[in-house]
Structure formats: structure tokens, C-alpha cells
Amino acid sequence: MLRYISGKFLFMVLSLFILVTATFMLMNAIPGSPLQSEKATSEAVQKNLEAYYGLDKPLYVQYGKYLANLLQGDMGISMKKKFQSVDKMIAQSFGPSLRLGISAIVTSVVVGCILGILAAMYHRKFIDNLAMIIAVIGLAIPSIVLAPVMQYFLATKLGWFEVAGLNGPLDYVLPTIALASGPIAFIARLLRSTMIEVLNADFIKTAKSKGLAGYVIVAKHALRNSMLPVVTYLGVLTAGIITGSVVVEKIFAIPGIGKHFVTSVIDRDYPLIMGITIFYAVILMISRFLSDIAYVLVDPRMRAGGKVGK
């Protein structure tokens, strides 16, 4: 187990290094300077700004300095938000994004599993058909479409929720639904297909012959064996919700990291783009790392490389 975790951790560090390098090089490959929009009064002022941010140095020097500062936990100073460090900007905006992300992930897993279990238990019956209809709708409508539709009908027309902002618990409902609709549908379909297969296994038939109640069989026998694909999907789920939250945060005017990420790309704020990209990458890699460990804990037979331990 320790060898498996060490291998995954080293792979995560290597992936992060490659991502940082590729993002830095691609960002600097864009023609022009990020300070072109600055209202410099003279060429001398423009050069002073470039010297202040280190843009007058060769690219390899900029890269080396950035890596050295990054290893010390310093992501630099924003080029557009004067005298604001990227670290503090991310820390201040991470709270709303974190709460929204956790809400969407928990909702996705809980609702998706409930729909999947009900669909499997009532296979080819009304509940199964209803659950799959909900799943198809969730997969067919992306969050960028669902979010403004809910804003119009549920917030503007009916007045049940606020159109934008996070001023109370109810304000999390619409953005959470927008983020979780797709994952709910995927988990429901995934768990349904797996559980139907498990419910037809011999050990389940043996449990039924012993007179065990249906909910006992599902809870104690079928669910554990059916959850492996869902556990594997948790890493992908986290990635999808985090990247999708950028659009949803913008639509609902949520003061999270997504807002900074969009404005940083528009403004070509190099330090902020790098900082948020790295921050997102670390979260995604850690979630995938924990997902892999959880997979092994659920099924101890699994080892690195997908081999079955003996």
C-alpha cells in the first residue's frame, strides 16, 4: 500500500511540474506584452513596468525565478490588481468556490446514488424509467444553458431565489443544481448498470434464498460491490465541477476563483493566470490521488497498474 501511494504521489508531482512548465511557455508564446494596455506616459515608464515584473529578462531567467519563488509559496504580484499578491487573491476568493464545489459534489453523489439504486431495484418499472428520463435530461442540458434558464423561471418569474450572489443558504440552490445536474445523471446511469449486474450475481441469489429483506441485500451486499465505478469517477467528478464552476460563478456573479480566472485571461494577467491554473491543478490532482486511494480501500485486491494482488 505504501509503495502504491508513493508511486501515485511522485506521478502527481511530475504531472504538476509538466503543467507549470507548459502553461508558462504557452502563456509567454502569445504575441505582445501583458502591459500593452497600461497607460504609460512614456517609453521609459513602460520599460520600468517591464523591469518591475521581470518581463525584460530572457524567458529562461523568468521561468527559473518563477519556479524558485513558487517553491517558496510565492505566486507573484498581479499585473492588473496593483500591489495585490496572487496568493491572497486566491485565498480570499476560495471560500465561496469551495462551499459551492462541496455542495455540488455532495449533491451529485447523494442524488445520483439514490436514483441509481432505485432504478436498479425497480428495473424496467416506472421508477426506473423516471430515473433514466431525469438522467438523460441532466446529460443533455449543459450547465451554461441550465443556469440562465433557472435564473429566468425560478428567480425572475417565480421569485423563489435570488438571481445572483451568495447571501444565504438558498442562494446555493440554483448554482448547485447547475453544476450537479450532469454528474447526477452520469452517476445514476453508472450505478444502475453496475448494480443490475451485481443483483443478478449468485451471492445475491443466495442472500435472497435466506430470506433477507431487499433493502438489507442492497445495503450490505450489492451497494459495496457496485460503488467501485462511482469511487473511480469521484476524481473526474471533482475535475468537472471545478472547471465547470468557472462558468457558473460568472453567470451567478459569485465572488469566487472563477471570477478572477475569467478576468485574468481577458486582462492577460500572467501571475494570476499561472497562480489559478496551478491552484486548480493541485486540487484536481489531490482529488484524483485520494480517489485512487479510496478505490484501493474499497477493493484491496487492486494494486498499482490495475493488477490484482494475490
Side-chain angles (χ1 to χ4, degrees):
M1 184 67 177
L2 182 60
R3 182 179 178 182
Y4 177 82
I5 294 176
S6 300
K8 288 290 182 180
F9 180 78
L10 291 176
F11 180 77
M12 182 176 67
V13 173
L14 177 61
S15 299
L16 183 61
F17 172 75
I18 295 174
L19 176 72
V20 171
T21 304
T23 304
F24 187 90
M25 297 303 174
L26 289 173
M27 186 177 60
N28 284 275
I30 301 175
S33 169
L35 300 175
Q36 285 178 342
S37 61
E38 294 290 339
K39 297 179 180 179
T41 56
S42 65
E43 185 178 350
V45 174
Q46 189 76 14
K47 289 183 178 179
N48 288 336
L49 288 172
E50 292 179 355
Y52 177 78
Y53 290 108
L55 299 178
D56 58 335
K57 301 290 193 301
L59 186 59
Y60 69 89
V61 176
Q62 297 181 42
Y63 176 68
K65 184 178 180 181
Y66 184 82
L67 279 185
N69 292 336
L70 185 62
L71 291 174
Q72 299 175 18
D74 182 10
M75 293 184 175
I77 305 295
S78 170
M79 291 180 176
K80 302 297 178 180
K81 306 291 183 180
K82 299 302 182 184
F83 308 111
Q84 291 191 35
S85 67
V86 174
D87 315 57
K88 291 183 178 180
M89 292 178 67
I90 292 176
Q92 291 172 356
S93 59
F94 181 54
S97 297
L98 177 63
R99 291 191 292 270
L100 178 59
I102 292 176
S103 175
I105 291 173
V106 172
T107 301
S108 300
V109 174
V110 173
V111 178
C113 287
I114 291 174
L115 289 177
I117 292 171
L118 291 175
M121 291 181 64
Y122 298 94
H123 183 43
R124 295 180 179 177
K125 296 181 180 179
F126 174 76
I127 295 179
D128 182 19
N129 295 331
L130 179 61
M132 290 303 99
I133 290 174
I134 296 174
V136 170
I137 294 175
L139 290 174
I141 305 177
S143 59
I144 194 173
V145 175
L146 181 61
V149 169
M150 290 191 300
Q151 279 182 322
Y152 179 75
F153 287 103
L154 300 181
T156 304
K157 289 294 184 180
L158 299 177
W160 293 351
F161 306 97
E162 295 294 330
V163 176
L166 291 178
N167 301 314
L170 285 178
D171 295 335
Y172 284 89
V173 175
L174 296 186
T176 297
I177 294 174
L179 278 175
S181 60
I184 285 174
F186 188 86
I187 291 175
R189 291 169 62 90
L190 184 65
L191 187 58
R192 171 185 178 272
S193 60
T194 307
M195 184 165 286
I196 289 175
E197 183 179 349
V198 172
L199 288 174
N200 291 322
D202 292 337
F203 71 95
I204 296 295
K205 294 177 181 178
T206 302
K208 290 180 179 179
S209 66
K210 294 180 179 179
L212 295 179
Y215 69 90
V216 175
I217 294 175
V218 171
K220 291 188 175 182
H221 300 283
L223 187 58
R224 178 183 176 89
N225 292 278
S226 303
M227 284 298 293
L228 292 178
V230 177
V231 171
T232 306
Y233 175 65
L234 287 179
V236 180
L237 168 64
T238 304
I241 285 180
I242 289 177
T243 54
S245 67
V246 174
V247 176
V248 173
E249 287 180 16
K250 188 69 175 179
I251 294 174
F252 287 97
I254 297 173
I257 297 180
K259 177 183 177 182
H260 287 314
F261 188 67
V262 173
T263 56
S264 68
V265 173
I266 296 174
D267 296 336
R268 294 183 64 181
D269 192 340
Y270 286 178
L272 190 55
I273 292 174
M274 287 294 300
I276 295 178
T277 301
I278 293 171
F279 185 76
Y280 274 157
V282 169
I283 292 178
L284 298 181
M285 290 177 183
I286 290 177
S287 64
R288 185 58 186 267
F289 178 69
L290 295 177
S291 174
D292 290 339
I293 294 177
Y295 189 82
V296 174
L297 293 176
V298 173
D299 188 356
R301 297 172 301 171
M302 300 305 297
R303 293 294 182 265
K307 297 181 180 179
V308 180
K310 296 182 180 180

